[in-house]
């Protein structure tokens, strides 16, 4: 299938691109860790306090590791953001998003907590979701955090977890999220969208790995695409009426991305459920392009995201109005 890339990305991938293989998970993890080592550090323009923390687990004795970022010298209480890394539910770490977490705090007066949630298949659903929920419980009661201004940001599989967290905390009667930022969210285990079927050999993410990703995550719950998969595992399974009342959303999708359509479809479902939703679709972009350093399109995506974080972590971003008719 022919597809179009942003000129900078086309030049970057002109000589070919690496292909991941989640069938060999040990090698995939080794390659993922090596790629993290090559990431450039982020040079902040102001002081940032960075602290590794261990949070109480949710319904378990073991704690959840995390990393807390705060702007130095800025008094609280501040709004706060839970940050969930991507990695197909089986890869990734808080180290991979360290630079992006620092950038958020550098440019916005906000506390960021990145969560080292447990990975599948060793810890399948609902382990990662429970760890995200434990982070929300802890952060909502943390010193110098405004509990009325806590949001969640996730990328790829982390975007799916962020969407699931918004559903779970509402249904558990937990702390209320003020916003959800879903970046290329992995939310549908059925793997039937047009983009997952047609964008079979594109940079960054290849759909042949999606079945492995979901199989690892759903191990012990269901096979991907089975008749029943919980909405807290695959939020795209939720009927429209089950999405009503969720926090405002900012959804990002990328044109040359096999996960594109499930993110677009989920955003439309949120809109149809009456959830205030801002959808940004980037033509010529590959999966999580903003994480590729040194491109103008990535910088534009980052600016768009930071602007949304600043807006949506502010109470009163939307006002409910009841029609008189």
């Amino acid at each position: 299938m022919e597809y179009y890339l942003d000129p900078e990305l086309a030049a970057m991938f002109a000589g070919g691109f690496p292909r991941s293989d989640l069938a060999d998970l040990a090698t995939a993890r080794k390659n993922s860790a090596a790629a993290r080592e090559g990431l450039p550090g982020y040079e902040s323009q102001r002081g940032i306090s960075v602290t590794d923390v261990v949070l109480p687990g949710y319904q378990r004795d073991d704690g959840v590791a995390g990393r807390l970022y705060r702007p130095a010298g800025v008094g609280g209480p501040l709004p706060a953001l839970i940050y969930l890394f991507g990695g197909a539910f089986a890869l990734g770490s808080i180290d991979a998003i360290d630079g992006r977490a620092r950038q958020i705090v550098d440019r916005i007066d906000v506390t960021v907590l990145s969560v080292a949630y447990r990975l599948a298949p060793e810890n399948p659903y609902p382990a990662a979701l429970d760890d995200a929920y434990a982070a929300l419980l802890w952060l909502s009661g943390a010193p110098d955090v405004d509990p009325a201004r806590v949001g969640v940001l996730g990328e790829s599989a982390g975007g799916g977890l962020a969407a699931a967290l918004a559903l779970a905390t509402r249904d558990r009667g937990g702390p209320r999220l003020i916003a959800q930022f879903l970046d290329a969210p992995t939310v549908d285990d059925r793997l039937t969208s047009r983009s997952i079927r047609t964008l079979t050999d594109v940079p960054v993410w290849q759909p042949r790995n999606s079945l492995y990703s979901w199989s690892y995550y759903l191990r012990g719950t269901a096979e991907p695409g089975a008749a029943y998969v919980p909405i807290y595992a695959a939020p795209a399974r939720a009927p429209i009426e089950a999405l009503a009342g969720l926090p405002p959303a900012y959804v990002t999708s990328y044109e040359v991305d096999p996960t594109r359509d499930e993110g677009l479809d989920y955003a439309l479902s949120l809109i149809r459920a009456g959830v205030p939703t801002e959808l940004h679709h980037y033509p010529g972009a590959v999966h999580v392009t903003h994480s590729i350093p040194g491109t103008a399109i990535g910088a534009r995506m980052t600016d768009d995201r930071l602007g949304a974080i600043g807006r949506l972590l502010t109470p009163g971003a939307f006002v409910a109005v009841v029609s008189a008719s």
Side-chain angles (χ1 to χ4, degrees), residues 81-205:
L81 190 66
I82 295 168
Y83 194 172
L84 303 171
F85 59 82
F89 301 113
L91 310 171
S93 74
I94 58 176
D95 292 329
I97 58 172
D98 181 76
R100 297 198 291 280
R102 291 173 185 268
Q103 183 182 52
I104 294 169
V105 175
D106 189 27
R107 294 177 56 178
I108 304 173
D109 288 342
V110 62
T111 293
V112 171
L113 173 64
S114 60
V115 184
Y117 60 82
R118 289 169 288 168
L119 299 179
E122 296 87 350
N123 297 282
Y125 169 84
L129 175 58
D130 285 348
D131 291 348
Y133 186 64
L136 176 59
L137 292 174
W138 182 85
L139 189 60
S140 296
D144 295 324
V145 166
D146 183 348
R149 302 172 67 190
V150 177
V152 61
L153 162 66
E155 297 161 345
S156 193
L161 289 173
L165 179 62
L167 284 163
T169 192
R170 180 200 63 188
D171 295 345
R172 293 173 181 174
R176 183 175 178 83
L177 289 165
I178 194 173
Q180 51 182 323
F181 303 89
L182 313 179
D183 194 303
T186 301
V187 291
D188 198 342
D189 67 290
R190 292 166 291 192
L191 305 178
T192 57
S193 74
R194 178 171 175 78
S195 60
I196 208 88
R197 289 184 289 106
T198 59
L199 295 173
T200 55
D201 193 28
V202 296
V204 181
W205 182 251

Side-chain angles (χ1 to χ4, degrees), residues 48-54 66-70 112-114:
I48 298 175
S49 169
V50 181
T51 308
D52 287 331
V53 294
V54 177
R67 187 168 294 162
L68 192 68
Y69 304 80
R70 283 185 59 89
V112 171
L113 173 64
S114 60

